[in-house]
Amino acid sequence: MTVDFEYRSSPAIRAATLTWTGPWNEAKIRAQFRRVAGWAKSQHLRTGRWIFREHSMGKWEVGIELRGSARSGGGIRVRTYPRGRVARVVFDPDVVSPRVVYHGLNDWLKWQRKEKKAGRVVATRELYAGDPWTDAKAWARTEIQFVLGAR
């Protein structure tokens, strides 16, 4: 499998989200995704990509892209991630360690900033085409995006 970094323009993403504070816990992350997915299903909304991100140290957010109009409710916030430039990589976590990919992308961006080709990283997120716990294709095409600010 080839793993390569690239720049892309990311469109705005409208998503149903849940945020919480605490230590990293896969069971909690999975439960929060199920809660958001259940809410979207109860609202009869079509969904898209699944998004996971860390706001700050110990503050986490899960989101599921929405296709159609929706309003926040039931503890779920509907928000829009703005469009912007991202540095990204798509890989299979069963083949290449996520730790290696994160460090590689981070170091690549350090050099890109030195050469004035990239701005600072303003956010980091993981995107999946569906539920990564039940959809092997979604898991095998994990996408990590570092959202970039102005150069």
Side-chain angles (χ1 to χ4, degrees):
M1 170 178 223
T2 302
V3 176
D4 201 6
F5 310 123
E6 68 179 349
Y7 292 114
R8 276 263 168 98
S9 179
S10 175
I13 302 170
R14 186 171 164 81
T17 64
L18 261 176
T19 305
W20 73 96
T21 304
W24 187 90
N25 181 325
E26 186 173 344
K28 175 83 170 182
I29 294 165
R30 194 173 185 170
Q32 298 294 53
F33 267 124
R34 275 196 309 264
R35 185 173 165 202
V36 174
W39 177 85
K41 187 174 183 176
S42 73
Q43 301 292 313
H44 305 289
L45 297 169
R46 291 184 318 127
T47 59
R49 295 174 289 185
W50 290 39
I51 305 155
F52 174 70
R53 66 186 213 117
E54 183 178 15
H55 268 291
S56 57
M57 202 62 169
K59 189 171 183 183
W60 311 95
E61 181 176 83
V62 297
I64 298 178
E65 183 179 21
L66 299 175
R67 298 194 174 123
S69 61
R71 290 193 173 175
S72 300
I76 308 293
R77 177 180 173 209
V78 175
R79 61 169 297 183
T80 301
Y81 298 109
R83 70 182 190 84
R85 188 171 184 236
V86 298
R88 74 176 207 135
V89 60
V90 178
F91 69 106
D92 183 348
D94 290 332
V95 176
V96 181
S97 169
R99 183 175 293 151
V100 171
V101 172
Y102 270 100
H103 284 290
L105 184 56
N106 192 42
D107 288 347
W108 180 71
L109 281 172
K110 281 181 185 177
W111 283 104
Q112 293 290 299
R113 281 193 298 276
K114 282 184 179 182
E115 294 175 5
K116 307 278 191 247
K117 293 181 181 176
R120 66 184 180 87
V121 175
V122 296
T124 304
R125 59 190 177 207
E126 294 176 15
L127 285 89
Y128 306 92
D131 182 350
W133 289 279
T134 61
D135 183 353
K137 279 187 176 181
W139 177 251
R141 295 208 28 88
T142 297
E143 179 177 345
I144 295 175
Q145 292 183 348
F146 283 15
V147 181
L148 304 173
R151 287 186 237 180

